[in-house]
């Protein structure tokens, strides 16, 4: 099936640092979504992006829908210990998929050292 | 609260045993999905359903069966469990809050010995 390339695979940072991660694809998507998964829990939707170039924030998190529609970026500012978890990107629609069927990246494991 | 509920949360099976995982959603959506999550592999789609009485195969359907007899429930069955099916299983359904986004259940951790 379709694949999203998510990077980095893992990050180990100090509390207070900013974090950046991204997803790229060879296919165009209509929607980009970012999820966070806490240890032992299911993924929770953080941000949804519906338009190329769109920049959306949710607290200390900011995500952008790439102009080419083939990529998306997530930034976390001033990280705190509770930011620890796995962050997934997902794409919907366009040439990369279909309505209501998402394509997921493999995740970025974030560790925050207090 | 709108959401997706999975049972059980944990299970240990012996090779060859069978079991059924239950997923229930109260968001009244037509679509439901079963994923498995393995280290380094991300989320892989097993089966999905686009409405009551319908099911379709995802990326990794072998060894699993599903049923959607009622709109709110989606069952995942393992007829003869194998150690390769040791994984964390997630059910999902589209979120009422974000168009095209999913709400996930809290997962079932299955170990096959």
């Amino acid at each position: 099936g379709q694949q999203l390339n998510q990077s980095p695979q893992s990050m180990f940072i100090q509390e207070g640092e900013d974090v950046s991660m991204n997803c790229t694809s060879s296919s165009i998507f209509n929607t980009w979504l970012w999820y966070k998964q806490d240890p032992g829990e299911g993924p929770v939707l953080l941000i949804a992006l519906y338009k190329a170039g769109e920049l959306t924030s949710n607290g200390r998190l900011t995500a952008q829908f790439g102009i080419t529609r083939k990529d998306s970026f997530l930034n976390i500012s001033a990280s705190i210990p509770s930011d620890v978890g796995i962050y997934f990107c997902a794409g919907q629609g366009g040439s990369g998929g279909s309505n209501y069927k998402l394509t997921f990246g493999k995740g970025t494991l974030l560790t925050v050292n207090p | 609260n709108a959401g997706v509920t999975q049972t059980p949360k944990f299970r240990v099976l012996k090779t060859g045993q069978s079991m059924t995982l239950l997923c229930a959603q109260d968001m009244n959506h037509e679509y439901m999905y079963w994923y498995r999550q393995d280290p380094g592999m991300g989320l892989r789609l097993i089966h999905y359903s686009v409405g009551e009485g319908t099911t379709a195969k995802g990326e990794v359907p072998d060894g699993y069966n599903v049923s959607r007899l009622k709109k709110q429930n989606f069952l995942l069955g393992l007829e003869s469990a194998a150690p390769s099916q040791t994984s964390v299983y997630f059910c999902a359904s589209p979120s009422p809050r974000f168009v095209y986004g999913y709400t996930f259940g809290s997962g079932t951790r299955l170990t096959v010995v």
Side-chain angles (χ1 to χ4, degrees):
Chain A
Q2 295 292 335
Q3 288 286 332
L4 292 181
N5 299 311
Q6 187 170 350
S7 65
Q9 288 187 323
S10 62
M11 302 180 74
F12 188 92
I13 63 171
Q14 295 295 122
E15 183 177 359
E17 289 183 354
D18 296 343
V19 172
S20 292
M21 59 190 78
N22 70 84
C23 271
T24 61
S25 172
S26 58
S27 304
I28 292 172
F29 287 102
N30 291 337
T31 303
W32 283 93
L33 304 155
W34 285 93
Y35 285 83
K36 182 195 177 195
Q37 183 180 25
D38 290 327
E41 298 293 329
V44 173
L45 186 53
L46 299 172
I47 294 177
L49 302 156
Y50 300 103
K51 188 177 177 181
E54 180 180 354
L55 189 71
T56 297
S57 294
N58 178 3
R60 293 176 297 104
L61 278 63
T62 302
Q64 184 162 23
F65 193 140
I67 290 293
T68 66
R69 296 169 60 195
K70 294 182 178 181
D71 56 9
S72 181
F73 306 87
L74 176 70
N75 296 314
I76 305 173
S77 62
S79 59
I80 59 178
S82 62
D83 290 333
V84 164
I86 302 175
Y87 291 80
F88 291 100
C89 63
Q92 175 276 336
S95 62
S98 60
N99 283 349
Y100 292 114
K101 203 163 147 195
L102 300 181
T103 301
F104 284 90
K106 292 188 176 181
T108 295
L109 175 62
L110 178 64
T111 304
V112 180
N113 190 30
Chain B
N1 290 335
V4 176
T5 304
Q6 289 181 236
T7 54
K9 289 188 72 68
F10 302 94
R11 186 73 184 269
V12 178
L13 287 180
K14 293 183 179 178
T15 297
Q17 286 186 319
S18 64
M19 78 163 293
T20 300
L21 283 67
L22 172 64
C23 178
Q25 56 106 351
D26 60 7
M27 300 178 292
N28 200 37
H29 205 284
E30 297 293 336
Y31 288 64
M32 296 185 75
Y33 310 85
W34 275 107
Y35 285 86
R36 60 178 289 173
Q37 184 178 30
D38 303 290
M41 302 294 289
L43 293 161
R44 293 184 292 171
L45 183 64
I46 305 171
H47 285 280
Y48 64 102
S49 170
V50 300
E52 183 178 317
T54 73
T55 63
K57 294 181 180 180
E59 298 172 61
V60 289
D62 294 342
Y64 305 95
N65 57 75
V66 287
S67 64
R68 185 95 182 270
L69 298 179
K70 292 183 178 181
K71 186 178 184 180
Q72 63 268 32
N73 294 336
F74 194 27
L75 306 180
L76 178 70
L78 286 74
E79 290 188 347
S80 180
S84 61
Q85 294 177 304
T86 294
S87 187
V88 182
Y89 292 86
F90 289 101
C91 178
S93 189
S95 167
R97 185 182 168 203
F98 293 100
V99 177
Y100 300 122
Y102 296 170
T103 295
F104 283 86
S106 58
T108 296
R109 183 172 294 275
L110 175 65
T111 303
V112 183
V113 297

